[in-house]
Amino acid sequence: MTIAEIAQRAGVSKAAVSRYLNNGYISSEKREAIRRVIEETGYIPSQQAQTLRTGKSRMIGVIVPRIDSEAVSRVVAGISRIFEEQGYRLLLANTENRMDKELEYLEVFRTGNVDGVLLVATILSPAHRKAVQACSVPVVLLGQQMDGVTCVYHDDRGAAYAVTRLMLQGGRKKLGYIGVTQRDRAAGASRRAGFLDALHEAGLEETASRMEQSDFSIDGGYAAAERMLQRAIDVDGIFCATDSIAIGAMNRLEQYGRRVPEDVALAGIGHSRLGELIRPRLTTAHYYYQTSGEEAAKDLIEMIEQGMDRKKQLKLGFEIRLGETT
């Protein structure tokens, strides 16, 4: 079935069918006639032909650090909902938290047949900025902030400050911190800064023996808590950069005979499902991950369809979810 055949069956011109397929203006009578023919014949337009006609593939490249992350799955759910509603399809690339693969996929999508790119970023380097600037299609960053680039990110510093302040208000004075690499500006540097903001406001200073670093896993939190407890058994509260780290730390505290929250308060960030299921239930900061995906997708569609080279910076808020660990 071709456009010419559809036009003949519907009694309209080929130009009218083309405008119909590309959402252009035609009269309601012609639109209905074309719709009936397409419905009766089951016609599906060729993606390649549409790309040639419009210069648009209606494909979006989405680069994510992990596919087994609850936070990433919520982000992708938001992205998918908006793009599906607007008739776009996704090409999902998993980098396994490797910077070199992020850069590789940015290059693939820069030269590939996509209309835009969403990068769920982790560690941003000068090479990332160069790669983003080299892209011939619009790019939106998710989860990190970069000047001069459209971004949707979270108030990591504010969330860490609020959670730490909550523990201090509960009477804790010897707080520990388990974070992630500060090369990750959001989860690493910003959350550490928020923790220190709250300490300094309370007239306290960080103690090296109570500062630890982990990866993003439960096992990493367990090992980091082990190292901390060997040096600072008197710690009375631990703020963790993620819920997974906090859950791992809780397991090690219990094995040490330190009760949560009676002996040690504990809190994380992310509001994970597992944090809701464990007992005691974890105190955490809720992030609007799905909303971040939706907002980023809307920004990218606007940039694609209106040809706008905008540099929007959207910082989303958070909510403290008070559990039973503080």
Side-chain angles (χ1 to χ4, degrees), residues 85-103:
E85 287 177 356
Q86 298 301 317
Y88 287 87
R89 292 182 292 174
L90 305 185
L91 293 175
L92 192 65
N94 173 30
T95 68
E96 299 174 338
N97 274 319
R98 288 173 49 187
M99 285 178 55
D100 60 326
K101 293 193 75 172
E102 285 184 349
L103 295 170

Side-chain angles (χ1 to χ4, degrees), residues 220-234:
Y222 181 98
E226 165 72 22
R227 295 190 297 271
M228 183 185 296
L229 290 168
Q230 287 176 352
R231 299 192 310 268
I233 192 64
D234 61 341

Side-chain angles (χ1 to χ4, degrees), residues 63-281:
I63 304 171
V64 300
R66 294 169 56 190
I67 57 175
D68 61 347
S69 162
E70 183 180 336
V72 171
S73 70
R74 292 183 193 173
V75 170
V76 172
I79 292 170
S80 300
R81 188 183 74 80
I82 297 300
F83 282 126
E84 183 177 345
E85 287 177 356
Q86 298 301 317
Y88 287 87
R89 292 182 292 174
L90 305 185
L91 293 175
L92 192 65
N94 173 30
T95 68
E96 299 174 338
N97 274 319
R98 288 173 49 187
M99 285 178 55
D100 60 326
K101 293 193 75 172
E102 285 184 349
L103 295 170
E104 178 185 326
Y105 280 123
L106 279 170
E107 176 64 18
V108 168
F109 289 141
R110 182 183 74 83
T111 58
N113 190 27
V114 298
D115 294 339
V117 178
L118 281 175
L119 171 60
V120 183
T122 52
I123 296 174
L124 295 178
S125 67
H128 283 81
R129 178 179 290 278
K130 184 177 179 180
V132 168
Q133 291 173 341
C135 278
S136 58
V137 296
V139 179
V140 174
L141 297 185
L142 260 165
Q144 298 280 354
Q145 190 268 339
M146 178 187 284
D147 292 337
V149 178
T150 297
C151 309
V152 178
Y153 60 104
H154 304 280
D155 186 4
D156 291 285
R157 188 167 186 163
Y161 165 82
V163 172
T164 304
R165 187 166 179 267
L166 180 68
M167 289 194 285
L168 290 167
Q169 289 174 335
R172 312 294 172 159
K173 299 296 184 184
K174 298 177 179 179
L175 289 187
Y177 171 79
I178 304 178
V180 298
T181 174
Q182 292 191 71
R183 294 175 68 200
D184 184 327
R185 297 177 191 173
S190 292
R191 294 180 194 179
R192 187 179 192 274
F195 170 79
L196 296 178
D197 287 344
L199 281 190
H200 297 160
E201 182 182 79
L204 303 173
E205 295 294 329
E206 67 268 31
T207 302
S209 62
R210 296 198 292 265
M211 302 290 286
E212 270 296 341
Q213 183 171 305
S214 171
D215 59 19
F216 285 85
S217 69
I218 291 175
D219 289 344
Y222 181 98
E226 165 72 22
R227 295 190 297 271
M228 183 185 296
L229 290 168
Q230 287 176 352
R231 299 192 310 268
I233 192 64
D234 61 341
V235 64
D236 63 5
I238 303 176
F239 167 67
C240 300
T242 74
D243 283 5
S244 293
I245 293 172
I247 291 166
M250 183 187 297
N251 289 341
R252 195 66 189 103
L253 284 165
E254 290 174 349
Q255 291 174 3
Y256 252 80
R258 305 298 306 280
R259 298 169 301 164
V260 177
E262 292 84 355
D263 302 321
V264 182
L266 191 67
I269 283 182
H271 193 205
S272 66
R273 293 185 179 90
L274 185 55
E276 284 287 315
L277 292 173
I278 61 170
R279 292 294 180 270
R281 191 173 69 255

Side-chain angles (χ1 to χ4, degrees), residues 1-45 50 53:
M1 180 64 66
T2 65
I3 287 178
E5 290 170 324
I6 291 174
Q8 185 177 14
R9 284 173 177 247
V12 300
S13 68
K14 290 189 293 183
V17 176
S18 179
R19 287 196 296 273
Y20 175 91
L21 294 174
N22 292 296
N23 296 315
Y25 173 76
I26 56 174
S27 69
S28 58
E29 293 83 1
K30 290 180 180 179
R31 182 174 295 278
E32 178 59 23
I34 296 168
R35 186 197 65 76
R36 280 200 305 268
V37 172
I38 288 175
E39 188 174 282
E40 290 167 1
T41 60
Y43 171 78
I44 299 175
Q50 282 190 320
R53 287 196 307 271

